[in-house]
Amino acid sequence: MKQIVLVMACLTLATSGMTAAEPLRIRGANFGNWFLAGEDTAFRVESGNCPDNATVTVRILNSSGGEVLSEKMPGREFLKSGWRTKIEEPGFYEAEFQIDGETVAETFCAEVKREAPQDRSRRIIAAREMIPVMRHGFIVAPEKTRPAAKISPVFSASPHMEFFSQALPLARLVGFHSLRLHHFPWCVIEPEKGKFDWRYPDAAMRVARENGFPPANIIVNTFNTPRWASPHPEEDWFDNCITVWGCYAPKNFNDWANYLTELMNRYPGLKAVELMNEPNFPGFSCFWHDTPERYQELMRTGYEAVKSASPRTAVWLSGGINSIFYENFLRNGGGGYFDILPVHGPQNPGEYRSAERLTGTPHKPIVNSEWHACLLVPGRDAPYPSDRALAKKMMIDFLTQIHAGIEEICLFSIMNIWNSERESLAFYEKHKHLVSHVSGLFRRAPYAQPRYMAASWHTLSRLIRGKPGIGSGYSFSAAGGRQNAQRIESDSGTLLFVWNTGREPVPVHEELLKAARNSEVLRADGSRVSDWTKEMLAPDIYYIVRSPDIRTVAAWKNTVELLKYPDSRNLLDQTWQSHYVATPLFDARMKPHGKPEMTAISTRVIFDPSVKPGVIDAKFALGISGGKLDLLVQVKDEIHVSGQAGKAPWEVDSVQFGIDTRNRGLRSDQVEFVASMERDQRAVLRKVVSPAIGGDLPTRYTPPEKVPGAELRHGECRIERRGNLTEYRIRLDLVELYPLVFRPGDSLRFSILVNNNNGDGRSAYWEWSSGIGGDKAPEKYGTLTPSTGKKILMKQDDLTLKSWKKDYDLTPGKIVRVDTRNALAASVGTWPKTVVPGGCYRIRFTARGSAGALICKASGKTLPMFDATPQSPLSEEWRTFEYRLTIPAGATDCALSFLAWSRRGKWFEIKDFSVIGE
């Protein structure tokens, strides 16, 4: 189908008879394209021309993409009066306009801005593209939105203050109880010490009140230290979206207290104040570049100032901190400096409860002050789910948070930011502008109009009243996948949320049909299902059964926990296994010792498909000894590209490696380094990501810095090129891995990758395990255990030892036989052998017998007894068994014994027994 493309700013219209200077702009007659069922749904021409004799076709599509209306009208009439109709059925719709068969498309401009090469305080446009939009989203609501006071308190929103004049009225349309205004910038409100400019926040508070949100329904998030108050006013460059001098606590904390006192006096009766935003340990937040100790003082000073001026205003801790940060904050006495704990994103509150228990802190109420409900990030979330699928994900996550005890959920956000829309994601991904995102219930470009999620969220806030209660979940097996149902109770009655887990539409399960036989059934967007018996459950949406048949639901026995968080502590990937040696790899001059056993780095990941990837052969070895970690990496590559102007170290030939300092798979525990050759041919090792280290101050530790990272203070790096071989020799003090506490025999969660650039850019990287090159995901790291040298530890001849109870027969030899006679326990074992602490060994043997099953026990002078293997079932036929035995760290000896327990009058035989190191 042809398109008429309307370009914003420098617009042209590619249709004869139309004036380029006055392009056609079509807008909904109501703000936000929000209409009521039974009233006029209307679109009008805001500006531009349409030929008098042209035929205008208006198509209306429902949320499934089905056409529900198509009308034609003369161009003259459309230009003069627009188009209108009455739509009785609530839901989300899209309008499409054609002129003489050509679809009218309006474009918006997407831009990528980067730091100016010679001036980090400025940003320049690096790429730009005009992107067309051909449809106008609109909502037909069944009734007027209830006022904020009558919306359930769990429904809050976190609109961007940059767009408050539109975002706050749009929040009123959707239906929220409270608003978190993100954010009131201190640097704007107090540009000079003691001189306040309230115009910006005054305007926002006025618009909020006009839309039914008084101060008692407002949470103010405030941060961004003024330059005059900052300890680092010279840092005038951007980190992501904020100037760095604003990311520190003030030099004088009295300035912070005075500002907050003025803020409270200006806006009395605020529901809450959230102090600062997303503080964290070095390298983890663009909003906080200061120390944990100064954050502690910032919260203490702020809490006392707010409570002194406005005792009833709740103080929220800064949202977006991880549980380790929270635990350290509490250990240092921070529990008395806030009333409410806010988290950000989909976050499991259980980790915070654990931190409170560990520190003896009473449980704090938990809210989500920035729920990234429908967030899409360029590249990371590709292939991008549909808006309908996003709404389904939102519903499940929303109910999961309520089930976990989160009391208030601030949806982030009302409008998309800047000109970042779903259609621009591919453009941002192409140009690697990964800091942008799409997260709004409403579009902003080319003008404010709803997305499908706005309709689904309006439906939820309309149907759930008061404090929702989570009932049972149910799962029904059906052709094409399972059909789930979750029961919710609120002041408006019982709701049953239903969704299909399969990939294709399926008929409704008979039990779900029975539950809704006398009930109204809605789709997520509020549209009514006319016949539930004929409905095909689409896999990308959910349904709501209002007032289901309680007797039918009560009879269901197939309960299942549908609303739960994954436990990242139990999600460690164990696919990648290798070893390190407990000796140095290099001498004092950083020359390699001998020929260590190397592990291949063999998984290729294409980074830039437009660049032809080279071919490399890479491998590594790692040693830990004497408080040092040695890493040897050898890379065969025909072309080696060193540092280049404007390039980060990982954009040229380099090695990146990461360590999980607590073996929990949490980003907050991750430390990451990169080794590369600079433009001056100097080998440099940098720390680019740092773990959360609490309030501790290790003496030999390099705090990370912004890109390209901090040169390591306590380590060495040599990079040599010989022919087509590049050899990286890296040594660092173990204290640089703080808070890792390493004991001989400990396993190490580790990942490594080799970047390849043959002169045309970073084409690909090769990795061993994962979790560095794409998402920072230490749960994907591999595991390194101490090398055992692959030596034979035990063999068949070692099976000679009888237990201290002698009332059974033992016959050693190539086939060991045990006759249990009347013994309660009959066994054969080995004498203790010296083992590598933390080492892994393979136990292999062949057995048969009538004793039912063999139990294998490990024990030693330094090793408490434990089950070395699962029970090995026996039969009259020979059967071979093989198991992996991991020696606990700290153990230096181990004996094995095979035992038949409570098998009187039975026998077993063992042959081909061996234990060999990995």
Side-chain angles (χ1 to χ4, degrees):
M1 183 179 291
K2 296 182 179 179
Q3 301 174 18
I4 301 173
V5 180
L6 310 179
V7 183
M8 298 170 65
C10 50
L11 290 155
T12 58
L13 196 55
T15 300
S16 60
M18 298 187 186
T19 305
E22 293 186 282
L24 195 66
R25 290 189 181 183
I26 302 168
R27 297 291 184 266
N30 288 1
F31 172 70
N33 288 3
W34 194 281
F35 304 97
L36 289 178
E39 298 184 356
D40 280 353
T41 297
F43 285 82
R44 55 183 171 78
V45 177
E46 183 180 78
S47 64
N49 296 310
C50 179
D52 291 348
N53 60 352
T55 298
V56 176
T57 302
V58 184
R59 297 179 66 230
I60 303 298
L61 301 98
N62 62 22
S63 60
S64 299
E67 185 176 278
V68 297
L69 183 150
S70 180
E71 293 183 355
K72 298 181 184 295
M73 62 188 305
R76 175 181 296 186
E77 181 182 344
F78 180 65
L79 188 63
K80 180 181 178 181
S81 305
W83 170 87
R84 67 184 57 243
T85 192
K86 282 184 170 58
I87 298 179
E88 301 291 341
E89 182 60 38
F92 176 79
Y93 296 88
E94 291 179 299
E96 183 180 282
F97 298 89
Q98 299 173 4
I99 298 178
D100 291 334
E102 297 182 352
T103 302
V104 178
E106 189 170 342
T107 68
F108 66 93
C109 182
E111 294 180 342
V112 172
K113 294 183 178 180
R114 305 196 192 282
E115 286 183 354
Q118 305 302 323
D119 184 359
R120 297 181 66 189
S121 65
R122 289 194 311 111
R123 289 188 173 186
I124 60 174
I125 297 173
R128 173 183 288 161
E129 186 173 308
M130 305 305 294
I131 298 175
V133 179
M134 292 175 287
R135 291 180 179 175
H136 304 250
F138 67 94
I139 284 174
V140 176
E143 58 189 35
K144 287 187 177 180
T145 306
R146 300 194 309 278
K150 294 186 178 181
I151 301 291
S152 168
V154 75
F155 289 93
S156 290
S158 179
H160 282 96
M161 280 287 288
E162 292 93 328
F163 319 119
F164 71 83
S165 61
Q166 288 186 304
L168 303 193
L170 292 173
R172 174 186 59 81
L173 291 174
V174 175
F176 290 97
H177 180 273
S178 300
L179 298 179
R180 172 200 184 236
L181 299 183
H182 173 65
H183 70 288
F184 279 19
W186 179 15
C187 61
V188 171
I189 295 172
E190 193 179 3
E192 298 179 53
K193 184 172 183 175
K195 295 183 179 180
F196 294 90
D197 183 348
W198 298 104
R199 289 174 295 176
Y200 179 59
D202 277 355
M205 293 295 287
R206 182 182 66 252
V207 173
R209 189 183 293 275
E210 290 170 352
N211 284 275
F213 299 101
N217 295 71
I218 296 295
I219 304 105
V220 167
N221 176 217
T222 187
F223 58 95
N224 208 332
T225 301
R227 194 170 189 174
W228 60 264
S230 173
H232 293 284
E234 74 283 0
E235 297 187 6
D236 62 347
W237 53 86
F238 281 96
D239 185 352
N240 192 343
C241 58
I242 188 169
T243 309
V244 175
W245 46 251
C247 304
Y248 293 92
K251 291 176 292 186
N252 187 338
F253 285 101
N254 289 332
D255 293 331
W256 173 240
N258 293 337
Y259 161 67
L260 291 176
T261 300
E262 293 291 334
L263 182 71
M264 293 298 98
N265 291 337
R266 186 77 177 186
Y267 308 115
L270 285 174
K271 175 181 178 178
V273 176
E274 183 180 4
L275 302 180
M276 303 301 286
N277 185 58
E278 298 183 356
N280 216 316
F281 295 98
F284 281 86
S285 175
C286 65
F287 296 103
W288 184 253
H289 286 231
D290 218 323
T291 66
E293 293 76 20
R294 283 173 56 77
Y295 176 75
Q296 200 95 8
E297 181 62 20
L298 186 91
M299 285 303 304
R300 185 192 66 80
T301 305
Y303 183 81
E304 293 173 354
V306 171
K307 289 300 184 180
S308 177
S310 183
R312 294 188 177 182
T313 297
V315 175
W316 288 12
L317 189 67
S318 316
I321 63 177
N322 64 59
S323 58
I324 304 301
F325 184 100
Y326 183 55
E327 180 183 327
N328 288 328
F329 178 73
L330 297 179
R331 287 192 187 282
N332 291 326
Y337 306 153
F338 68 102
D339 302 311
I340 308 289
L341 168 65
V343 298
H344 280 187
Q347 184 66 53
N348 185 351
E351 298 176 2
Y352 296 88
R353 293 302 188 215
S354 175
E356 290 166 347
R357 286 192 297 271
L358 288 171
T359 57
T361 305
H363 286 346
K364 296 282 188 172
I366 298 183
V367 299
N368 192 334
S369 66
E370 196 169 293
W371 175 39
H372 303 147
C374 46
L375 184 72
L376 294 177
V377 176
R380 187 193 72 181
D381 296 318
Y384 306 107
S386 68
D387 281 4
R388 298 197 334 164
L390 280 174
K392 176 181 173 182
K393 172 180 173 292
M394 288 168 62
M395 176 274 295
I396 295 172
D397 190 39
F398 178 72
L399 297 181
T400 299
Q401 292 183 74
I402 296 173
H403 188 41
I406 294 181
E407 299 179 9
E408 183 174 349
I409 300 169
C410 302
L411 188 147
F412 178 91
S413 60
I414 299 299
M415 298 185 75
N416 288 336
I417 58 172
W418 306 302
N419 279 2
S420 187
E421 303 288 346
R422 170 180 285 278
E423 295 87 351
S424 62
L425 286 169
F427 164 76
Y428 289 125
E429 182 179 356
K430 173 183 175 182
H431 293 281
K432 298 181 175 54
H433 187 61
L434 307 183
V435 297
S436 184
H437 59 77
V438 176
S439 60
L441 297 182
F442 289 80
R443 301 180 62 98
R444 187 169 175 270
Y447 70 99
Q449 53 185 285
R451 299 168 68 193
Y452 179 88
M453 295 84 70
S456 68
W457 224 244
H458 172 70
T459 302
L460 274 185
S461 69
R462 180 171 65 88
L463 296 182
I464 295 177
R465 301 194 181 194
K467 184 178 180 179
I470 304 297
S472 297
Y474 308 91
S475 188
F476 301 90
S477 180
R482 304 194 70 83
Q483 297 177 27
N484 292 339
Q486 179 64 52
R487 182 174 174 174
I488 302 296
E489 304 289 345
S490 77
D491 291 350
S492 59
T494 303
L495 300 173
L496 202 62
F497 289 79
V498 176
W499 65 95
N500 166 21
T501 65
R503 297 183 178 181
E504 301 294 333
V506 294
V508 182
H509 191 279
E510 59 181 352
E511 287 295 322
L512 296 172
L513 290 175
K514 287 166 59 178
R517 55 193 165 196
N518 297 313
S519 306
E520 180 183 48
V521 181
L522 304 177
R523 298 180 186 88
D525 67 341
S527 59
R528 291 184 288 259
V529 176
S530 58
D531 190 341
W532 188 229
T533 64
K534 296 181 181 179
E535 184 75 9
M536 298 292 286
L537 296 184
D540 59 345
I541 67 171
Y542 62 91
Y543 300 80
I544 305 171
V545 180
R546 301 184 68 181
S547 301
D549 185 83
I550 297 301
R551 289 186 177 181
T552 298
V553 175
W556 292 344
K557 304 301 182 184
N558 52 329
T559 56
V560 64
E561 183 63 70
L562 298 175
L563 307 176
K564 58 183 178 180
Y565 289 99
D567 188 348
S568 60
R569 297 169 186 257
N570 296 327
L571 295 177
L572 300 182
D573 191 329
Q574 300 294 344
T575 304
W576 298 86
Q577 303 280 338
S578 193
H579 310 286
Y580 67 86
V581 295
T583 56
L585 296 183
F586 315 119
D587 62 20
R589 297 179 300 167
M590 293 293 289
K591 295 293 184 181
H593 279 307
K595 295 182 179 180
E597 181 183 345
M598 307 288 282
T599 299
I601 307 171
S602 57
T603 301
R604 186 178 75 171
V605 179
I606 299 297
F607 180 77
D608 187 347
S610 66
V611 179
K612 183 179 179 181
V615 177
I616 70 171
D617 178 24
K619 51 191 176 181
F620 79 94
L622 190 143
I624 302 178
S625 177
K628 307 283 186 182
L629 182 148
D630 290 351
L631 178 64
L632 173 65
V633 185
Q634 295 177 341
V635 182
K636 290 184 178 179
D637 179 16
E638 295 300 327
I639 302 173
H640 183 84
V641 175
S642 300
Q644 297 177 344
K647 297 288 188 182
W650 44 86
E651 295 180 280
V652 297
D653 284 346
S654 58
V655 169
Q656 289 174 257
F657 61 99
I659 292 168
D660 182 351
T661 60
R662 289 188 174 98
N663 287 359
R664 302 187 306 182
L666 302 178
R667 288 186 63 183
S668 55
D669 300 338
Q670 178 183 18
V671 61
E672 186 180 313
F673 304 88
V674 59
S676 65
M677 190 82 78
E678 301 283 283
R679 296 174 64 191
D680 59 3
Q681 301 303 297
R682 185 170 60 96
V684 174
L685 176 63
R686 299 181 185 274
K687 181 184 286 186
V688 293
V689 176
S690 173
I693 64 170
D696 298 340
L697 296 174
T699 56
R700 294 176 58 79
Y701 182 77
T702 307
E705 297 175 359
K706 295 171 287 296
V707 174
E711 288 194 33
L712 204 68
R713 300 173 185 172
H714 310 291
E716 299 179 72
C717 181
R718 304 282 190 273
I719 302 176
E720 291 186 4
R721 179 77 174 170
R722 301 189 298 272
N724 68 347
L725 176 68
T726 305
E727 187 170 85
Y728 298 79
R729 301 196 292 272
I730 297 164
R731 169 171 285 170
L732 54 87
D733 288 9
L734 285 179
V735 72
E736 288 284 10
L737 306 179
Y738 193 89
L740 175 71
V741 178
F742 188 82
R743 301 174 303 166
D746 281 350
S747 62
L748 194 70
R749 294 284 294 176
F750 177 80
S751 184
I752 186 169
L753 67 80
V754 176
N755 293 302
N756 187 44
N757 182 331
N758 283 345
D760 298 322
R762 184 191 187 197
S763 60
Y765 56 84
W766 276 254
E767 63 182 7
W768 180 86
S769 77
S770 189
I772 296 179
D775 284 346
K776 300 301 182 185
E779 70 272 16
K780 298 180 182 178
Y781 283 10
T783 302
L784 299 180
T785 54
S787 174
T788 62
K790 297 184 178 180
K791 296 179 180 178
I792 297 175
L793 180 68
M794 300 175 185
K795 54 187 184 300
Q796 182 73 20
D797 292 347
D798 293 312
L799 286 176
T800 60
L801 193 61
K802 197 174 183 181
S803 75
W804 60 273
K805 288 191 176 183
K806 309 297 185 181
D807 54 345
Y808 66 92
D809 295 331
L810 169 63
T811 306
K814 292 184 177 180
I815 298 179
V816 171
R817 182 180 175 94
V818 173
D819 290 284
T820 66
R821 295 199 300 166
N822 201 37
L824 178 65
S827 66
V828 61
T830 71
W831 289 100
K833 300 282 188 177
T834 300
V835 294
V836 175
C840 292
Y841 296 83
R842 286 285 169 183
I843 301 174
R844 183 183 175 89
F845 61 93
T846 302
R848 67 179 179 180
S850 62
L854 281 183
I855 301 169
C856 183
K857 296 284 187 179
S859 62
K861 293 181 179 179
T862 60
L863 182 62
M865 183 177 292
F866 69 97
D867 288 339
T869 72
Q871 291 194 21
S872 305
L874 298 177
S875 68
E876 297 289 334
E877 302 296 327
W878 287 108
R879 182 178 175 184
T880 299
F881 301 91
E882 185 170 348
Y883 301 103
R884 191 174 199 241
L885 170 65
T886 300
I887 303 297
T892 58
D893 71 315
C894 176
L896 293 180
S897 62
F898 292 92
L899 171 71
W901 177 261
S902 190
R903 298 291 179 176
R904 292 180 171 90
K906 305 296 182 180
W907 62 273
F908 66 84
E909 293 179 339
I910 298 174
K911 66 177 182 178
D912 301 330
F913 166 69
S914 65
V915 180
I916 302 175
E918 290 187 349

